[in-house]
Every structure is written in structure tokens, then in C-alpha cells.
Amino acid sequence: MISKLHYISQGKSPEEHLQNIQNACSSGAETVQLRLKNVKEDIVLETAKKVKEITDNFQTRLIINDYYKVAIAIKADGVHLGKTDACPNLVRKELASWQIIGGTANTLKDCEVLIDKKVDYIGLGPFRFTNTKENLSPVLGVTGYKVILEELKTTVPIIAVGGITLNDVESIIETGVYGLAVSSEITNNYNVISNFHKILLKDRAQEQIFKFDKN
């Protein structure tokens, strides 16, 4: 099952990523994405091994950003592939059957391509401008998510990403997205994780009540 809340790791060094992931896990994170950029793969591997010890201890799901071979080596729960990374179809052949694949999308067309390649979830954004992303894709905002989701009509979980704060959660979820990927808001205050969960769980409960009423 895909978590409704993903924490994307931050840090100026692998050590900072480790500490931030430790803090997120101890504060209730259900899924963590290790996102190391401009780092040699052997360093990513060694860092990922240490992260796996942390996530195993807290029974937190671990997704590796970009480096699918690292995900295979440490038996992570999955991998998240950027638009310039390896093709999901090729990576699927390398992964174990239980490992999931997420993909990055900025547009409706990106989503359609990823759905065709049978990814397990799509990270769609950015919701707003953020310095943590290298690309300069236009921000989607609430309206962008509504338009794309109305066109897609897909069962593939869509995860909103990009500068999301706690105050944005309800308006984003109302667009129909499945969940959220959050970075800075959590890194700056790990206590907000419980607040994110409360809102997301409330949405899930309302959804179940609605389905029950329909029957």
C-alpha cells in the first residue's frame, strides 16, 4: 500500500540526511524517500544502508530516489525515478516483485506516459516554487491538480509535491490527489508529521463514510 504522506529527505551532507530521517521516523513518518543529489553512488549506497537500519527499526517504508541499483542492493521498499532517470519498464525487470516504482511528473502528458509504463505511484508537481528542485517546471497550484486529475481519471495514486505546507493540505486533497510528499515543512519541524496524518486520516475516514452511504 502506498502511504498518504512521504517525507523527502534533506541535508547538506549524508550525515544530515541520516539525522533528519532519524527525526522523521521517530516522529511517525510512514514512508521516507532518501534523496541524495550530486553524490557518488558508493556514498549513496553506504548512506542508504544506514538509513535502512533506521527505517527497519521504526517499521518505516524506504524509497530510494534515482539510484535503483542501491534500492536493489539494500532491499528498499522501492525507488523513485526522475524524468531523466532510467525507464520504469527497464527498472521493473531488475526489481523484486514486491518493490514499488514511483515516477516524477510535471504535466498531464508526463502522467500519461508513467501510467502507460505501469508505475505504482506518480509524484506530480511542483505545487509551488521550491529551491530543492533543479527543473523550472511551471507551478501547478490547486487548479493545476484539478485539471490534470479530471483528465486522467486514473486509479494510480497521485502524490502532490513541491513546497507543500500544513496549511495547503486540505485544499490539495480536495482536488482528488491521493497523498503528499513533503520536505522542508517537515525538516523544519518534525512535530507537524502528526498534524499531517490527522488531516489525511480524516480525509480517508470521510471517503469511507461516503462509500458506505452510496451503498
Side-chain angles (χ1 to χ4, degrees):
M1 182 178 176
I2 309 298
S3 300
K4 290 242 177 195
L5 180 65
H6 297 208
Y7 170 59
I8 303 177
S9 71
Q10 285 185 308
K12 295 179 181 178
S13 66
E15 291 73 25
E16 282 193 18
H17 279 262
L18 279 170
Q19 186 58 59
N20 289 335
I21 287 171
Q22 172 78 40
N23 292 338
C25 288
S26 63
S27 298
E30 292 181 343
T31 293
V32 167
Q33 183 186 133
L34 175 63
R35 187 178 187 270
L36 286 170
K37 290 294 184 181
N38 303 315
V39 176
K40 291 182 179 178
E41 188 161 346
D42 60 336
I43 295 176
V44 176
L45 176 58
E46 290 308 308
T47 305
K49 288 177 181 177
K50 296 174 184 176
V51 172
K52 185 69 161 52
E53 292 179 6
I54 296 170
T55 54
D56 281 353
N57 182 54
F58 287 96
Q59 297 185 317
T60 303
R61 297 183 185 92
L62 173 60
I63 295 172
I64 306 297
N65 188 282
D66 298 355
Y67 297 89
Y68 73 91
K69 291 181 180 178
V70 170
I72 294 170
I74 69 164
K75 294 182 169 62
D77 294 282
V79 63
H80 184 92
L81 302 171
K83 293 172 71 175
T84 59
D85 295 326
C87 173
N89 287 339
L90 296 177
V91 174
R92 180 71 71 190
K93 295 175 183 178
E94 302 284 337
L95 295 181
S97 59
W98 49 267
Q99 290 176 305
I100 65 172
I101 297 177
T104 295
N106 305 121
T107 64
L108 172 63
K109 181 62 177 176
D110 290 341
C111 291
E112 291 171 340
V113 169
L114 289 172
I115 291 169
D116 187 56
K117 293 181 178 180
K118 294 180 170 55
V119 297
D120 296 292
Y121 75 89
I122 294 172
L124 177 61
F127 171 68
R128 65 163 55 89
F129 177 78
T130 169
N131 289 318
T132 61
K133 293 289 185 180
E134 288 77 14
N135 66 62
L136 298 175
S137 301
V139 297
L140 294 174
V142 169
T143 301
Y145 285 110
K146 281 182 179 177
V147 170
I148 291 175
L149 285 162
E150 284 173 3
E151 285 290 326
L152 279 180
K153 294 181 174 63
T154 182
T155 57
V156 175
I158 304 296
I159 306 293
V161 61
I164 295 170
T165 69
L166 190 63
N167 292 332
D168 301 316
V169 180
E170 292 191 4
S171 60
I172 294 176
I173 292 300
E174 284 175 0
T175 68
V177 302
Y178 176 85
L180 312 168
V182 182
S183 191
S184 297
E185 182 83 339
I186 288 176
T187 303
N188 293 335
N189 178 12
Y190 298 98
N191 292 327
V192 301
I193 290 176
S194 61
N195 294 325
F196 273 106
H197 282 152
K198 285 176 184 176
I199 299 173
L200 292 169
L201 286 171
K202 183 179 73 173
D203 173 73
R204 185 182 297 171
Q206 289 174 338
E207 182 180 280
Q208 291 172 341
I209 291 170
F210 175 70
K211 288 179 179 177
F212 179 78
D213 286 345
K214 282 183 72 177
N215 292 332

